[in-house]
Amino acid sequence: MDGPLLSGVDVEEEDVPSIIEELIQIKDWAVKNLSEEKRDKMFERITILQNKLPLAFQRKDAVVFIG
């Protein structure tokens, strides 16, 4: 066996605005459906993604794998 099977998605720079919008929708859902503790942990991770994902495309034609 070659190792664990990885699942995920390749993200290109053009995908970032849609991903950011989806993250905002997840945050809106979390406000209505999660406890404060779980929501705070999720918001922390989402904020990191919102801030770091655009920076990953500083190199032209970069592709980021999220999995």
Side-chain angles (χ1 to χ4, degrees):
M1 193 165 196
D2 294 332
L5 180 63
L6 299 177
S7 62
V9 63
D10 287 339
V11 176
E12 297 180 7
E13 187 172 16
E14 65 197 34
D15 301 320
V16 172
S18 296
I19 292 169
I20 299 297
E21 179 59 36
E22 290 176 13
L23 291 170
I24 292 167
Q25 291 176 20
I26 292 169
K27 287 171 81 171
D28 291 343
W29 175 88
V31 166
K32 298 173 188 168
N33 295 286
L34 295 180
S35 68
E36 185 176 348
E37 181 181 347
K38 289 182 179 180
R39 184 177 63 235
D40 289 348
K41 288 180 181 182
M42 180 184 282
F43 282 11
E44 184 178 323
R45 293 188 302 266
I46 287 174
T47 299
I48 291 169
L49 274 172
Q50 288 175 311
N51 292 332
K52 299 287 184 174
L53 188 57
L55 298 176
F57 295 97
Q58 291 178 344
R59 192 184 85 223
K60 187 161 178 66
D61 299 325
V63 176
V64 174
F65 179 79
I66 299 177

